Amino acid sequence: EVQLVESGGGSVQPGGSLRLSCAASGFNFDDYAIGWFRQAPGKEREGISCLSHKDGNRYYAASVEGRFTISSDDAKNTIYLHMDSLKPEDTAVYYCHATAIIGGICPSLQYRFELRGQGTLVTVSE
């Protein structure tokens, strides 16, 4: 069974940090690009970061670049999103998705990745 299971969400004050994890199973992890997306209340889902297993490149949306870092532990089939300098506007449900549409290379962050996790909630407030 294909699974992407996110964890690590929670409540944090502005300026704080969190690390999200995404555990993948049921597919060949190395053949996929893995992305992090988020959806805030009343807004559309936004692609914020992607890691290409094919070439190791990492991509970030402008809204998170310089504050968020995506990384991978291939031995554990796990992707991480380390989030620093969190802002109230970062409050959202965060999702881990995977795609092999370009053989392990990240497509546009606007692309609808075909494998999708269930999400973990991040709340940034005083």
Side-chain angles (χ1 to χ4, degrees):
E1 179 185 6
V2 172
Q3 282 193 316
L4 291 166
V5 181
E6 302 94 336
S7 61
S11 296
V12 63
Q13 291 186 335
S17 298
L18 277 176
R19 189 183 76 163
L20 306 182
S21 300
C22 171
S25 61
F27 62 98
N28 193 340
F29 191 63
D30 293 344
D31 290 341
Y32 281 73
I34 311 293
W36 283 97
F37 294 72
R38 67 184 181 186
Q39 189 164 16
K43 295 190 176 181
E44 292 188 355
R45 193 166 298 193
E46 172 191 20
I48 57 173
S49 186
C50 184
L51 185 149
S52 296
H53 273 120
K54 186 74 173 180
D55 57 17
N57 285 332
R58 293 159 168 78
Y59 303 91
Y60 299 94
S63 57
V64 305
E65 189 156 21
R67 300 188 297 124
F68 291 10
T69 303
I70 191 170
S71 63
S72 176
D73 184 336
D74 291 349
K76 296 181 178 180
N77 279 12
T78 300
I79 289 283
Y80 302 99
L81 185 69
H82 191 93
M83 307 184 293
D84 290 322
S85 303
L86 283 162
K87 306 175 182 179
E89 52 263 44
D90 294 318
T91 295
V93 178
Y94 283 71
Y95 300 90
C96 169
H97 296 338
T99 182
I101 191 66
I102 319 179
I105 293 177
C106 290
S108 163
L109 288 173
Q110 284 72 49
Y111 179 75
R112 182 180 171 87
F113 288 32
E114 60 267 26
L115 303 182
R116 318 187 100 192
Q118 294 302 306
T120 185
L121 176 63
V122 172
T123 302
V124 184
S125 65
E126 294 288 354

